[in-house]
Amino acid sequence: MSTAAVTPLVRPQPAPPGGRPQTPRAQYVELKANVHRRLLNRLNLEALAQADRARAESEIRTLVGELLAEEGAPLSLGERDLLFSELVDEVFGLGPLEPLLRDPSISDILVNTYQHVFVERGGRLERVATSFQDDRHLLRVIDRIVSGVGRRIDDSSPMVDARLPDGSRVNAIVPPLAVDGPLLSIRRFPAERLKAQDLVTLKALTQPMLDFLSHCVRARLNALISGGTGAGKTTLLNVLSNFITEHERIVTIEDAAELQLQQEHVARLETRPPNVEGKGAVKQRQLVINALRMRPDRIVVGEVRGEEALDMLQAMNTGHDGSLTTVHANTPRDALSRIETMIAMGATNLPERAMRQQIASAIQIVVQQTRLADGTRKVTSISEITGMEGDIITMQEIFTFDKLGMTQDGKVVGRFRATGVRPKVCERLKAAGIHLPADMFEGVMEVR
């Protein structure tokens, strides 16, 4: 690495009367804030929104040059170009976040108040030098994000889920709930969506596991994808949805629309938060009920979180086979317990056995997706629900991932293993014209 001195963006200025000298970085931030404020006062924002981007940038560059001349700021050509690009990001985009959003290696952007920004690269968290001017600057960026999808965030509604134009998932929470200042979390999705074979290449699962899941989707089995935060549930759901045929009508239901289904006949529904008066909210349960009136062949729920679980199960049990959904849970058995708890939230008088019967008859396959210690994401279990024994839902594991240890560089060593159990759903697959080879449910593949 070169040890040559780096020229500061702004030359040090004398200390103001009665104060300490400002650092070059502080002077640059102050200069940028002043130019940005004066720039916004001079721009016709309505005309700017409709103008061609190249023409708008040309006019902004001319105006920035005039404002810098008025400020008398001694900047080099390179420093002017940097300031100009940052101001364009402020005017057209999300300010300091824009360079991070252009970096394809970043999968998560986590803003812990305006001063601290972290990113995830390759499964590892690291802090970056990016920062905002103050809380108000960060709040302006958050408001630009949430207003773009028709949502709002303020003291009366201090939490919000939203999305960026590229589909990235956004969560923001502001004071008084966020004690030290606004917090922003962005879960990014790659520009090129992962395809089924990409998961095999990345060793997220084996070819026999992928083949089995694809056949289950084609044969219209109901599947539940379980996993923790950031485990890759939505990615796997997107991949599995690609095996749905083109002639089927699909209705998707989400809190914040993230699914990117490739079929032509897709109807997308999204929940709505309450308005300023606290009215007008539309919850997932209402959308699930409405979806049943839309003549769906399949219903895909981005994630079940509450009482809509019962309506989803009833849809699966009443002619809408092949439905898919996800749930937060650590194991397949925990996933069923969570579904049971969510049913109880909306139907307190439903007997425990009746709830379990609904689950056992509605769901055939439970897929467990896990984020491992080294940041990799793998399908660690594919299980089949086989029915009820007394009051207990019975399951059998078809494929599993065994963690064997860690390498010196922190990589997880393990193996995918078929349990040797031939699932009962093979009969349904056979009725759908799908014949699975006998050796599909045998064999071991080690990965590291």
Side-chain angles (χ1 to χ4, degrees):
M1 185 180 291
S2 173
T3 56
V6 178
T7 304
L9 289 171
V10 180
R11 295 175 179 83
Q13 299 294 314
R20 296 181 179 179
Q22 287 184 300
T23 65
R25 175 64 185 170
Q27 292 173 24
Y28 176 79
V29 170
E30 183 178 346
L31 172 64
K32 178 182 163 186
N34 288 340
V35 174
H36 184 218
R37 183 176 61 253
R38 296 178 64 190
L39 182 67
L40 292 179
N41 290 336
R42 297 271 294 272
L43 289 174
N44 182 341
L45 295 179
E46 289 186 9
L48 194 68
Q50 300 174 359
D52 175 72
R53 176 74 180 254
R55 178 191 156 209
E57 287 189 10
S58 175
E59 293 189 10
I60 289 175
R61 183 181 288 277
T62 302
L63 186 52
V64 168
E66 295 175 5
L67 294 175
L68 287 175
E70 293 173 11
E71 291 280 341
L75 297 179
S76 68
L77 185 60
E79 293 165 350
R80 285 171 176 264
D81 286 340
L82 176 62
L83 180 64
F84 168 72
S85 66
E86 291 184 355
L87 287 171
V88 168
D89 287 341
E90 293 286 355
V91 173
F92 290 105
L94 302 179
L97 296 179
E98 285 295 325
L100 303 180
L101 292 170
R102 288 192 288 265
D103 186 341
S105 68
I106 294 176
S107 57
D108 283 273
I109 302 171
L110 308 170
V111 182
N112 299 347
T113 72
Y114 74 93
Q115 294 176 302
H116 306 115
V117 180
F118 293 82
V119 300
E120 181 186 286
R121 286 189 179 95
R124 302 285 183 179
L125 281 176
E126 59 183 81
R127 186 173 175 182
V128 291
T130 303
S131 64
F132 295 80
Q133 294 170 17
D134 49 32
D135 283 345
R136 286 178 297 178
H137 185 199
L138 176 53
L139 281 170
R140 284 200 304 272
V141 171
I142 292 174
D143 189 62
R144 181 172 294 182
I145 294 172
V146 301
S147 62
V149 291
R151 305 205 172 192
R152 64 186 180 87
I153 188 164
D154 50 36
D155 288 350
S156 61
S157 180
M159 292 188 297
V160 70
D161 287 315
R163 65 183 182 279
L164 297 179
D166 66 357
S168 297
R169 181 189 309 169
V170 178
N171 175 268
I173 182 166
V174 301
L177 301 187
V179 177
D180 297 318
L183 304 174
L184 177 66
S185 306
I186 300 177
R187 169 74 49 77
R188 300 192 62 208
F189 294 106
E192 291 188 7
R193 301 282 171 168
L194 289 176
K195 298 180 175 60
Q197 285 305 314
D198 294 331
L199 297 184
V200 177
T201 303
L202 294 170
K203 298 179 180 178
L205 77 175
T206 63
Q207 189 65 50
M209 294 166 72
L210 176 62
D211 291 342
F212 176 70
L213 291 175
S214 67
H215 291 322
C216 288
V217 174
R218 291 190 181 103
R220 301 180 62 88
L221 299 183
N222 296 321
L224 174 67
I225 301 171
S226 165
T229 301
K233 299 186 299 297
T234 303
T235 298
L236 182 59
L237 185 59
N238 270 321
V239 168
L240 294 184
S241 70
N242 289 332
F243 298 113
I244 300 174
T245 58
E246 286 286 347
H247 64 266
E248 295 181 81
R249 175 173 169 80
I250 307 167
V251 177
T252 68
I253 299 167
E254 301 172 83
D255 267 341
E258 301 164 358
L259 294 173
Q260 299 288 331
L261 274 63
Q262 303 303 311
Q263 289 81 355
E264 183 178 8
H265 200 167
V266 178
R268 305 172 72 202
L269 305 180
E270 184 179 48
T271 61
R272 187 177 70 182
N275 58 21
V276 180
E277 286 114 24
K279 300 177 181 179
V282 178
K283 297 183 178 180
Q284 279 202 102
R285 183 171 195 179
Q286 295 167 271
L287 293 180
V288 171
I289 294 171
N290 187 79
L292 300 177
R293 304 174 184 136
M294 296 173 65
R295 195 239 169 257
D297 290 307
R298 306 209 192 204
I299 299 174
V300 178
V301 179
E303 181 183 335
V304 285
R305 293 189 176 94
E307 54 199 22
E308 71 274 4
L310 178 59
D311 302 287
M312 181 68 194
L313 293 178
Q314 288 179 330
M316 291 176 172
N317 275 325
T318 53
H320 299 93
D321 295 334
S323 296
L324 304 169
T325 188
T326 72
V327 67
H328 270 80
N330 295 324
T331 67
R333 179 63 65 179
D334 286 347
L336 300 188
S337 297
R338 282 216 65 208
I339 294 287
E340 191 176 324
T341 301
M342 288 186 275
I343 294 173
M345 292 166 62
T348 53
N349 295 326
L350 195 63
E352 189 176 85
R353 181 177 174 81
M355 285 191 280
R356 292 177 179 172
Q357 284 176 331
Q358 286 273 349
I359 296 171
S361 60
I363 301 171
Q364 285 82 51
I365 300 295
V366 181
V367 184
Q368 184 67 36
Q369 180 91 5
T370 305
R371 177 187 168 124
L372 302 180
D374 60 357
T376 58
R377 298 162 173 87
K378 298 188 186 301
V379 175
T380 53
S381 174
I382 298 177
S383 302
E384 174 191 31
I385 295 179
T386 56
M388 296 272 294
E389 285 187 8
D391 290 340
I392 305 299
I393 298 173
T394 55
M395 303 177 71
Q396 60 183 12
E397 197 165 44
I398 304 165
F399 296 97
T400 187
F401 177 80
D402 301 322
K403 182 180 175 182
L404 303 177
M406 303 278 289
T407 63
Q408 290 185 344
D409 58 352
K411 297 294 183 182
V412 171
V413 177
R415 64 180 182 181
F416 288 106
R417 177 172 55 87
T419 61
V421 175
R422 189 169 180 84
K424 290 186 176 181
V425 296
C426 285
E427 294 302 317
R428 285 190 58 176
L429 297 180
K430 186 177 179 181
I434 300 170
H435 300 273
L436 303 182
D439 60 355
M440 174 178 277
F441 307 106
E442 301 172 1
V444 174
M445 188 185 91
E446 293 198 7
V447 293
R448 61 175 62 220

